[in-house]
Amino acid sequence: AAASPAARSSPSRSRAALLRVRAAAAAGKGGAASEESGFELPEAPSVEALERFLAEAASAASASAATAAAIYVSACASGLGPVPLHATRAVPRLMNAAHESAEDRSAPHAREAAVLCLNGMSERLGFAFEPLALPQLPQIVALVGDRDRKVGEAAVRTLETVVSCLDPLAVPAAMPALYHGMRTVSWHVKEVCLRTVGRLAARAPGPLGACMPECVPAVIGCLNDSNAKVQSAASEVIPTMLSCVDNPETQSLKAMIVRALREPSFTLEAVDEILSQTFVNAMDGTSLAFLMPILLRGLRSETYELVKKAATCAGNMCALIVNGAELAPFLPELNPALEMALEHSSPAVRAEAATARDKLLEGVGELQASARKGRDVVSELLRTRLADALGAATTPPEVAAHMGSLGTSLLERLFAGKLSTSLLAEAPQRLPAGL
C-alpha cells in the first residue's frame, strides 16, 4: 500500500512535471479545460492538492472540466500512492456524491468526473487500487445505465479498466456487482455486464470457474430477456464461459450444452447425450453449473421419458462428486425437483428420483450450511489474521478485506473447489510446505 516505485524515486520537481504533462493532456482532450476550470498546479502532489482536485471534480460543470479534473486527480493520486486515498476516504466520498446526484438527476458532469477519476486512478495505480475500486463496482455498474450518455460511456470505460487491472484472484469479488447488473431493468446494463463476464472468462478462467454456480443462472435469465440485444449477448458469452470448465468429458459436450441452454426444445436429446457419455474424471461445481439447468428442465418436464432420464442423469452426476461442498449450491433447486418427481405417477420415475435424491443428500446435508458460508468464514478469518500481522491500527479496512478475499480465492484454487468450514481442519495438511 505504498507509493509507486516511480513516485518514491522521483524528486518533487519530476512529480510536478508529470502533473503538468497530464494536466496539459486534459486541456487537449477537453478544449482549453485548464483555462475553463481555473486549476493551479502545485509544485508537487500533496493531500491538499488532491482534496482540491476532488472538489473540482465534484463541482464540474462541463465535459471538459470533468475530463480535466479526472486527469488532475489521477496524476496526483499516482504521485501520492494509495495510502492517502485510504486515509482521506477520497474514493467513497467521490462516488457517494455521484450517487446522490444520480438520485436527483442533477450534475451529470460531476458524475462523469467521478467515474473518470476512478478510471484514471485504476490505470495509474493498477493492483494497488483494487481494494478501493472493487467496493465501488456496484455504483459503476449502475451508472452504466445513467440517463446522461457521457456518464454511461464513462462508466463503461471505467468498468473495462477496473476489470482489466484485476488480479485473477480478485475476480470472485467483482462478480456480485455483475450479477446484480444482469438482473437490473436496464437492457444496456445487462448487455455490458454480460460482455464483461466474457472478458473475465477469457482472462481468468480458473478463478471465474468457481463462480459458475451463481453466474450461469444469471446468464440464463438474460437468455430469456425480452430485449434482443440482451439475448444475443447472453448467447454469445456461453461458449466463452465454458472455457472455465476443466472436466474433459464436460468439454467434449460443449456444443450440446450450448445448444441445450439456448434451445429448451433440445433438452431430451441433450439428456440422452449426457447419459451416453462415459465420465472417468470427478465432477466439479463448474461442470455441474452448466449441466444442472438442463437436468432441472428435464425433471420439471411433463414428459415421462424425459423426467425419468433426467432423474437417472442427476443421480449419476451426484455420484461423481468428490467434494460434497460442490453440490451444495444446487441443493435448493435440485432437491425440490427430485421430491416432485417422487410423487410421479410412474413407479420407474419414482424409483430413479429416490436413487438420485439419496445420492444428492449423501454427505451434502451437513455440508449445505457450511459450504454456503464457507467462503465468508474463511475470508473473515484471513482478514483478521492478516490485519493483526500487519498492524490492525495501520491497515486500512478495505485492504484487510481485500487480502481476505484474495486469500480465500487462493485456497479455493489449492483445494480445487468450493470451500466449506469442514475443510478448515484439513488446511494445514493440504497446503504446500511453507504456505
Side-chain angles (χ1 to χ4, degrees):
S4 62
R8 289 196 301 267
S9 61
S10 301
S12 60
R13 289 183 181 179
S14 297
R15 295 179 185 174
L18 175 64
L19 201 59
R20 289 191 178 94
V21 169
R22 289 175 178 164
K29 290 180 181 178
S34 58
E35 293 181 8
E36 179 181 335
S37 61
F39 288 162
E40 292 183 6
L41 293 177
E43 287 301 315
S46 65
V47 173
E48 293 74 16
L50 177 63
E51 290 286 358
R52 181 157 55 87
F53 294 152
L54 288 168
E56 294 286 352
S59 61
S62 67
S64 58
T67 302
I71 296 293
Y72 292 139
V73 168
S74 59
C76 198
S78 69
L80 292 171
V83 173
L85 298 179
H86 288 287
T88 60
R89 296 194 59 76
V91 175
R93 285 162 43 206
L94 194 65
M95 294 307 294
N96 288 340
H99 177 71
E100 291 172 4
S101 70
E103 288 290 313
D104 58 19
R105 301 180 185 178
S106 64
H109 297 300
R111 292 200 299 281
E112 181 185 1
V115 179
L116 290 176
C117 284
L118 253 69
N119 182 66
M121 288 187 283
S122 186
E123 285 181 337
R124 303 289 188 268
L125 296 171
F127 293 152
F129 193 63
E130 275 183 17
L132 288 165
L134 284 173
Q136 308 307 322
L137 272 187
Q139 289 195 51
I140 296 173
V141 169
L143 288 171
V144 168
D146 196 274
R147 290 175 177 270
D148 187 275
R149 181 178 58 83
K150 284 188 173 293
V151 176
E153 291 174 352
V156 171
R157 190 158 68 251
T158 301
L159 180 61
E160 291 174 352
T161 300
V162 171
V163 165
S164 66
C165 293
L166 284 180
D167 184 294
L169 291 176
V171 167
M175 294 308 295
L178 300 180
Y179 300 151
H180 182 75
M182 283 187 269
R183 296 185 176 103
T184 192
V185 176
S186 169
W187 69 266
H188 182 50
V189 174
K190 293 178 182 178
E191 183 186 25
V192 169
C193 288
L194 286 165
R195 301 201 185 284
T196 303
V197 169
R199 282 193 291 272
L200 287 173
R203 182 171 177 267
L208 187 61
C211 305
M212 285 299 116
E214 297 82 22
C215 188
V216 172
V219 173
I220 290 176
C222 293
L223 272 176
N224 301 320
D225 195 86
S226 58
N227 187 281
K229 290 185 177 180
V230 175
Q231 292 178 14
S232 176
S235 181
E236 289 173 7
V237 79
I238 290 174
T240 310
M241 290 166 57
L242 273 163
S243 65
C244 300
V245 175
D246 289 330
N247 183 279
E249 291 80 28
T250 307
Q251 275 292 346
S252 69
L253 298 170
K254 180 176 179 178
M256 176 277 296
I257 292 172
V258 172
R259 184 179 176 186
L261 293 178
R262 290 172 176 171
E263 304 173 23
S265 60
F266 187 66
T267 302
L268 179 57
E269 292 88 340
V271 172
D272 281 335
E273 193 166 340
I274 297 172
L275 284 172
S276 65
Q277 175 69 49
T278 301
F279 288 86
V280 296
N281 294 282
M283 185 64 60
D284 57 15
T286 306
S287 295
L288 276 180
F290 291 96
L291 297 174
M292 198 57 68
I294 301 171
L295 301 183
L296 287 171
R297 192 187 296 152
L299 287 169
R300 294 163 181 162
S301 172
E302 296 180 358
T303 305
Y304 152 79
E305 181 186 9
L306 180 52
V307 177
K308 180 176 179 294
K309 289 181 176 180
T312 302
C313 195
N316 294 344
M317 294 297 104
C318 293
L320 289 168
I321 289 288
V322 175
N323 178 6
E326 300 280 350
L327 267 176
F330 308 102
L331 193 61
E333 285 197 82
L334 182 56
N335 193 40
L338 290 173
E339 287 181 344
M340 184 173 64
L342 286 172
E343 300 176 1
H344 200 277
S345 58
S346 168
V349 171
R350 294 198 300 269
E352 291 295 341
T355 301
R357 188 169 180 272
D358 290 343
K359 291 178 180 177
L360 171 66
L361 296 180
E362 185 179 351
V364 174
E366 66 273 16
L367 280 171
Q368 182 188 9
S370 65
R372 186 171 57 249
K373 65 182 181 181
R375 182 179 175 86
D376 294 338
V377 170
V378 176
S379 182
E380 177 63 16
L381 176 65
L382 292 175
R383 183 193 69 79
T384 55
R385 294 288 178 87
L386 289 168
D388 290 343
L390 295 172
T394 57
T395 303
E398 299 93 344
V399 173
H402 189 58
M403 289 192 299
S405 177
L406 292 179
T408 305
S409 296
L410 178 60
L411 289 176
E412 285 181 333
R413 178 183 294 182
L414 292 171
F415 285 154
K418 289 279 185 183
L419 295 176
S420 65
T421 50
S422 61
L423 286 176
L424 292 179
E426 305 174 27
Q429 291 76 35
R430 295 180 62 177
L431 288 177
L435 189 61

